[in-house]
Amino acid sequence: MINKNSPIPIYYQLEEHIKELIEKGELLPGDALPPEREYAEKYKISRMTVRQAFTQLVNEGYLYRLQGKGTFVAERKIEQPLQGLTSFTEDMKTRGMIPGSQLIHFEIIPASKQVASQLSISEFAPVYEIKRIRLADGVPMAYETNYISANLIKGLTEQIVNQSLYAYIEGQLHLKIDSASQMIESSIANQNEAKLLKISKGAPVMLIQRNTYLKDGTPVELVKSVYRADRYKFMIQMKR
């Protein structure tokens, strides 16, 4: 497996071998890898080389480390194409995963100046403030805060927001969701986000703000989300 005469760096050969085992299902999420020492002895390479391969695989999201316990195979990331406008529930169902929500907060509040501007409504107009943990197969994936005009979207209840907002807006209110703009930036989890998402404080996360519009251009929703960077990645296709 390791060809020391190859121009390909040894750490990279080991890295690709471990990736292949993961992709073939021979190494499963949660499986512990042998210690660096065993790899070094088996392939007659330095532990520094093994450590370099492990570190790269951790950075790419294939592995994770637990201090004092070892190195383990990570859960595969959910790949989200940045094309087409779908809800979290729709995304998870297309992947054969069971979507879910844990409602943290549901209240009608006066719109702040910033929220009012984003929704094109008057400051202090009533808006729903909805905070949810979004789950896939029971695992926390994202922490969402939604702001929706209470004068535009009427009749929202805790039961409805625990399911799919888009399904209610389009199926029950017969309003057509047409487009959205989305901004993504990297960050690290604060103490509250880490607790809700069951990750370590300071773990990498993605901050996503989405502004969603009806067919006539009316803003229908402002969503601020914190996604786990260890379980989610975004993909975009481009043409020249």
Side-chain angles (χ1 to χ4, degrees):
M1 188 279 299
I2 297 292
N3 181 0
K4 295 183 179 179
N5 295 321
S6 170
I8 299 172
I10 293 173
Y11 82 87
Y12 184 78
Q13 294 182 50
L14 178 59
E15 180 187 335
E16 290 299 301
H17 173 63
I18 295 172
K19 279 184 186 177
E20 185 178 1
L21 295 178
I22 293 171
E23 287 164 0
K24 285 182 176 179
E26 296 179 34
L27 283 174
L28 299 174
D31 283 354
L33 268 69
E36 294 174 1
R37 173 181 48 78
E38 289 189 24
Y39 276 103
E41 291 174 356
K42 180 177 180 179
Y43 298 114
K44 295 181 173 53
I45 57 180
S46 71
R47 289 183 63 176
M48 184 66 72
T49 298
V50 178
R51 187 173 298 120
Q52 189 175 1
F54 278 20
T55 298
Q56 187 63 26
L57 289 166
V58 168
N59 292 340
E60 292 179 15
Y62 284 90
L63 305 177
Y64 66 95
R65 289 187 173 110
L66 291 178
Q67 189 171 2
K69 294 185 177 180
T71 305
F72 301 83
V73 179
E75 293 282 350
R76 296 302 301 273
K77 291 187 179 183
I78 295 172
E79 185 175 284
Q80 173 63 45
L82 289 176
Q83 50 194 5
L85 177 55
T86 55
S87 69
F88 180 89
T89 298
E90 292 166 340
D91 289 340
M92 295 307 104
K93 285 182 176 179
T94 60
R95 289 165 174 76
M97 305 179 81
I98 300 173
S101 292
Q102 180 184 346
L103 186 62
I104 303 297
H105 173 84
F106 178 84
E107 185 180 5
I108 295 179
I109 63 170
S112 67
K113 186 175 183 179
Q114 180 193 26
V115 169
S117 174
Q118 297 283 340
L119 293 177
S120 296
I121 58 177
S122 301
E123 188 177 358
F124 308 121
V127 295
Y128 296 100
E129 181 180 62
I130 305 161
K131 298 184 178 184
R132 300 179 290 175
I133 305 298
R134 308 312 305 268
L135 310 169
D137 289 342
V139 178
M141 293 290 174
Y143 172 42
E144 283 187 354
T145 302
N146 302 62
Y147 296 97
I148 300 171
S149 169
N151 291 328
L152 177 65
I153 305 300
K154 300 180 184 296
L156 277 184
T157 65
E158 292 188 12
Q159 183 179 6
I160 291 169
V161 300
N162 260 326
Q163 300 172 24
S164 173
L165 281 172
Y166 282 18
Y168 175 75
I169 291 169
E170 295 190 314
Q172 298 297 316
L173 301 183
H174 307 292
L175 297 171
K176 178 62 177 173
I177 295 172
D178 182 70
S179 62
S181 61
Q182 192 159 273
M183 180 174 64
I184 304 173
E185 58 182 311
S186 61
S187 186
I188 57 174
N190 62 32
Q191 188 168 350
N192 183 54
E193 293 162 352
K195 180 180 177 181
L196 293 171
L197 294 174
K198 297 182 180 178
I199 56 178
S200 302
K201 180 183 177 182
V205 294
M206 291 179 286
L207 304 182
I208 301 174
Q209 178 174 309
R210 176 187 282 189
N211 298 68
T212 308
Y213 304 92
L214 299 178
K215 197 172 183 66
D216 64 1
T218 302
V220 67
E221 177 189 41
L222 167 65
V223 188
K224 297 181 178 182
S225 305
V226 181
Y227 275 80
R228 289 176 55 165
D230 65 330
R231 296 304 309 275
Y232 231 84
K233 61 182 178 181
F234 291 86
M235 183 269 292
I236 186 168
Q237 291 182 333
M238 295 178 285
K239 278 190 174 182
R240 182 183 171 104

